[in-house]
Amino acid sequence: DSGVTQTPKHLITATGQRVTLRCSPRSGDLSVYWYQQSLDQGLQFLIQYYNGEERAKGNILERFSAQQFPDLHSELNLSSLELGDSALYFCASSAVAGGPAGELFFGEGSRLTVL
Amino acid sequence: AQKVTQAQTEISVVEKEDVTLDCVYETRDTTYYLFWYKQPPSGELVFLIRRNSFDEQNEISGRYSWNFQKSTSSFNFTITASQVVDSAVYFCALTSGIIQGAQKLVFGQGTRLTINP
């Protein structure tokens, strides 16, 4: 158990819909990361938040947005869903704010299926 | 641009055999960090090791060992006396250019390792 909690574990929805994935980081971790794992793209970095502020951005679509709340949990919002958005979405957390790269602790993922 | 290549898509061996997973990386940064993660059938990603670019010492942890060679930009992972529980997808990853805590892990495509009894 990494200590990172993601909900829901599974989600099935239709094209054009909007969903929200939730992540609670490990106790004390200030950084939250979102990754997408799909068959064709592999594991891709989407976005990182540190203590409520966006810190790094990857290949995140404009239809996707994220935020980190004062209690440090994070939400990833996916809208106007397309079939190609079907993937496993991971949240990870770390304590590192600067300096050497820290170990990322990954949650179990939220599997999104768009029909 | 940074890139991680895991040329072996799938490997299948019989239990107790030794197996090496290859990882080749590309980066222009002089300071970078390499990682290996394991993804068992249950789906979560489990951290195995982190190595920084200034430390080329090989590391051994039980049946696991890692060989980091900057000259060939490789960070290979060897499992000695493999066991069925080692069956998983293994990912090599790279991060560099860390500024103010911003950290983007670039993952390889993964190697699916199957250990047969």
Side-chain angles (χ1 to χ4, degrees):
Chain A
D1 184 1
S2 67
V4 177
T5 304
Q6 289 187 248
T7 57
K9 286 188 167 39
H10 301 275
L11 190 55
I12 302 174
T13 188
T15 54
Q17 295 299 304
R18 171 190 169 97
V19 299
T20 297
L21 309 180
R22 182 189 168 101
C23 170
S24 294
R26 289 189 323 154
S27 177
D29 283 356
L30 299 179
S31 272
V32 170
Y33 310 76
W34 286 97
Y35 283 82
Q36 179 195 59
Q37 184 177 28
S38 61
L39 282 175
D40 50 347
Q41 298 291 330
L43 263 165
Q44 292 217 322
F45 169 73
L46 295 178
I47 198 164
Q48 176 198 357
Y49 279 83
Y50 174 74
N51 203 20
E53 293 187 1
E54 183 183 304
R55 191 56 63 95
K57 210 165 185 176
N59 298 324
I60 187 167
L61 299 172
E62 284 190 11
R63 299 183 286 108
F64 296 180
S65 65
Q67 55 184 324
Q68 185 179 28
F69 294 87
D71 67 353
L72 300 178
H73 92 271
S74 177
E75 292 182 357
L76 178 66
N77 300 296
L78 314 175
S79 61
S80 302
L81 286 168
E82 301 175 359
L83 296 177
D85 297 327
S86 296
L88 186 55
Y89 291 85
F90 283 107
C91 171
S93 74
S94 75
V96 174
E103 172 187 346
L104 266 60
F105 295 87
F106 283 82
E108 294 184 348
S110 292
R111 184 168 295 282
L112 172 66
T113 302
V114 182
L115 300 176
Chain B
Q2 299 172 5
K3 186 178 179 181
V4 175
T5 302
Q6 294 179 254
Q8 304 150 309
T9 306
E10 293 191 32
I11 298 176
S12 181
V13 300
V14 177
E15 200 171 19
K16 297 184 184 176
E17 286 186 16
D18 298 347
V19 57
T20 295
L21 310 181
D22 297 333
C23 172
V24 174
Y25 63 91
E26 295 176 29
T27 180
R28 293 182 179 179
D29 294 308
T30 53
T31 301
Y32 52 89
Y33 297 83
L34 296 162
F35 301 78
W36 276 95
Y37 280 85
K38 174 182 179 179
Q39 187 175 37
S42 51
E44 74 274 22
L45 284 163
V46 179
F47 168 84
L48 295 178
I49 190 172
R50 173 186 61 226
R51 173 67 71 217
N52 75 56
S53 53
F54 299 108
D55 182 3
E56 287 194 71
Q57 277 193 334
N58 292 331
E59 181 156 340
I60 298 174
S61 176
R63 296 183 297 105
Y64 295 172
S65 63
W66 290 270
N67 183 297
F68 176 31
Q69 292 196 343
K70 287 178 76 171
S71 60
T72 56
S73 297
S74 65
F75 186 43
N76 296 336
F77 172 32
T78 297
I79 301 175
T80 303
S82 60
Q83 300 176 2
V84 173
V85 294
D86 296 325
S87 296
V89 180
Y90 290 86
F91 291 94
C92 181
L94 163 74
T95 189
S96 64
I98 298 163
I99 301 173
Q100 295 182 349
Q103 178 175 284
K104 307 178 187 182
L105 274 180
V106 174
F107 283 88
Q109 287 298 103
T111 297
R112 181 177 298 279
L113 177 63
T114 302
I115 310 296
N116 299 298

